[in-house]
Amino acid sequence: MKHYCSVLFLLGVILISSVIEAKFQTRVQRGQLLKHATQKYGLRSFFQHQHVADFRDYAYFGNITLGTPIASAPEQTFLVVLDTGSSNVWVPDNTCGLHDRRSACSRKNKYFATNSSSYEKDGRPFSISYGTGSASGVFGKDTLCFSDTTLCIKSQIFGQASTIAPFFANQEIDGILGLGFTDLAVNDAPPPFVNAVNQGLVDQPIFTVYLEHHGMKRASSGGYFTYGGEDPDHCGEIITWIPLTRASYWQFRMQAVGVDSVHENTAGWEVISDTGTSFIGGPGKVIDKIAKKYGAEYDEFNESYYIPCSTVKSLPSLKLQINDLQFEIDPINLVAYPDSKECDLTLFAIYGGGFGPSWILGDPFIRQFCNIHDIENKRLGLAHSKQQDDIL
């Protein structure tokens, strides 16, 4: 489980517009016939794209469905964070906040087991904690489908959350879907993509993440998760395959980091790539040193670094050494836009006391480099994103 500030817990003001939600729903409906054919006839999904919405480069969300509707029951759709930094799936259960109008579940989509003919009872309790949020309840099993695709996983273990932290009350998302490894999961519940591989539903044991930058805009289509293969439409050729040092998170070794030179900081650290974290996190002293190189000021109240947006074009890249190769993150991917004048420099300090990974390479890293996740060979591929830098 995460012990650091993730996208949900680093930011307290994430909202998705009703326009974005409507476009999500339209895309979900568009894929219904294909999805139900897959479920009925057991077709393989091979590789398929799922689009995600981009909230001002702070967060990326996607839709899933759970269950097989009975009679006239509606399909049960949930907006979730597709999170490579955790491994469990959970959504609010219909029992969440049942007798409490002030519950964080009061405005969430809720799961009704009685409305699904494919529901299976598990009954084991679960409890999961993140940076400033948590969820608890019991496990159940049902068919889980990724929106925009025909990829449906039968008997997927997921959390039926009867309690979620107050922090989630003002978040537009309903739940979280983990894309890490089983070793990271509470009660060793296999994550959905691991199950998809085990059930032979995808052509290759690979999923690819491509994230876009849209600045101050909210984009209903802000990137793609491709299940079962690479994404040549949005990503270049793979530069390198990085062997994982631990297959729980997507964890590997970073040798050095710097601004003017990659050799400015050469201690070497364990790092993870994480779609569920908005910024890049690292040891406090190193992060502060890098922030000063960019001329950033620290806002103690918001616990963030900021720079004038007018200076972004002239900033140098952030340089990383991984697998004996140098990777550069362009300034356009190192900022986020709370307003048009002051930009957030997407860095934050981690104080972990020596436990767990020292760095989190969040969305800025993934916007620059497509991440190709190889479950079977326990490695992470990096490829240049094909998005054009046209927002500044």
Side-chain angles (χ1 to χ4, degrees):
M1 293 177 286
K2 294 184 182 179
H3 64 281
Y4 48 81
C5 293
S6 75
V7 56
L8 297 176
F9 320 115
L10 179 64
L11 304 166
V13 292
I14 296 175
L15 295 173
I16 293 292
S17 69
S18 58
V19 173
I20 287 178
E21 289 188 74
K23 288 184 178 180
F24 257 85
Q25 193 60 38
T26 299
R27 287 174 181 265
V28 171
Q29 293 169 348
R30 204 176 288 158
Q32 291 311 306
L33 292 177
L34 281 173
K35 187 187 76 174
H36 290 311
T38 299
Q39 290 178 279
K40 182 175 181 180
Y41 299 110
L43 302 177
R44 290 184 68 185
S45 295
F46 297 100
F47 71 89
Q48 298 186 59
H49 299 307
Q50 176 183 20
H51 88 286
V52 292
D54 174 11
F55 178 81
R56 291 185 168 185
D57 298 347
Y58 284 101
Y60 299 84
F61 302 139
N63 269 332
I64 61 169
T65 62
L66 280 166
T68 305
I70 60 172
S72 59
E75 188 155 57
Q76 302 192 63
T77 302
F78 302 92
L79 188 65
V80 298
V81 176
L82 299 168
D83 181 20
T84 58
S86 67
S87 294
N88 288 94
V89 187
W90 64 264
V91 297
D93 190 65
N94 71 297
T95 59
C96 190
L98 192 61
H99 304 294
D100 182 4
R101 293 182 179 180
R102 295 177 296 178
S103 166
C105 283
S106 61
R107 292 184 292 176
K108 304 295 185 188
N109 292 313
K110 299 175 184 177
Y111 174 81
F112 288 78
T114 53
N115 286 349
S116 174
S117 61
S118 52
Y119 175 74
E120 303 172 56
K121 186 176 180 180
D122 182 300
R124 290 176 296 164
F126 87 93
S127 179
I128 185 168
S129 297
Y130 303 87
T132 56
S134 60
S136 61
V138 297
F139 279 131
K141 295 181 182 179
D142 212 332
T143 299
L144 183 153
C145 299
F146 292 93
S147 69
D148 307 334
T149 78
T150 61
L151 180 55
C152 295
I153 299 105
K154 295 181 179 179
S155 299
Q156 173 62 47
I157 298 173
F158 70 102
Q160 298 172 242
S162 55
T163 303
I164 63 176
F167 176 82
F168 288 112
N170 295 322
Q171 308 302 324
E172 198 70 21
I173 56 105
D174 299 308
I176 296 176
L177 184 146
L179 289 165
F181 289 87
T182 304
D183 282 355
L184 187 62
V186 172
N187 290 344
D188 295 321
F193 189 73
V194 171
N195 270 338
V197 172
N198 291 340
Q199 293 178 21
L201 301 177
V202 290
D203 193 32
Q204 299 180 66
I206 289 172
F207 69 93
T208 300
V209 180
Y210 159 78
L211 300 180
E212 295 179 347
H213 51 70
H214 289 274
M216 293 186 67
K217 301 175 184 177
R218 295 176 178 180
S220 61
S221 185
Y224 292 91
F225 281 59
T226 300
Y227 305 104
E230 299 173 31
D231 182 3
D233 293 337
H234 303 104
C235 307
E237 293 184 4
I238 294 175
I239 303 166
T240 188
W241 284 104
I242 307 165
L244 300 184
T245 55
R246 184 185 176 198
S248 54
Y249 297 109
W250 290 91
Q251 183 171 327
F252 52 95
R253 192 77 179 165
M254 183 169 73
Q255 297 155 302
V257 62
V259 179
D260 296 325
S261 167
V262 75
H263 301 297
E264 289 169 0
N265 305 278
T266 58
W269 309 269
E270 289 294 299
V271 304
I272 65 172
S273 174
D274 181 9
T275 56
T277 298
S278 302
F279 292 1
I280 291 174
K285 289 183 179 180
V286 180
I287 290 293
D288 192 55
K289 182 179 176 181
I290 292 172
K292 287 178 180 177
K293 287 269 189 179
Y294 284 115
E297 295 187 45
Y298 188 69
D299 181 344
E300 291 188 6
F301 181 78
N302 291 307
E303 297 183 336
S304 64
Y305 294 96
Y306 66 92
I307 56 174
C309 294
S310 60
T311 68
V312 172
K313 285 186 178 181
S314 62
L315 295 177
S317 62
L318 180 65
K319 301 165 181 65
L320 316 174
Q321 186 174 340
I322 301 168
N323 219 21
D324 295 324
L325 297 173
Q326 181 170 306
F327 296 88
E328 298 189 16
I329 303 177
D330 295 333
I332 195 172
N333 286 320
L334 287 174
V335 294
Y337 298 77
D339 58 53
S340 60
K341 293 183 179 179
E342 289 187 347
C343 284
D344 285 327
L345 183 63
T346 55
L347 302 174
F348 71 98
I350 299 174
Y351 298 99
F355 298 99
S358 300
W359 285 79
I360 305 163
L361 301 181
D363 295 338
F365 174 69
I366 303 167
R367 284 195 291 270
Q368 186 76 44
F369 300 101
C370 294
N371 279 207
I372 302 93
H373 304 77
D374 187 340
I375 289 276
E376 185 175 272
N377 295 303
K378 297 179 175 58
R379 60 182 184 169
L380 181 73
L382 299 182
H384 285 291
S385 166
K386 290 184 178 180
Q387 187 185 17
Q388 299 299 310
D389 297 340
D390 57 359
I391 65 166
L392 288 178

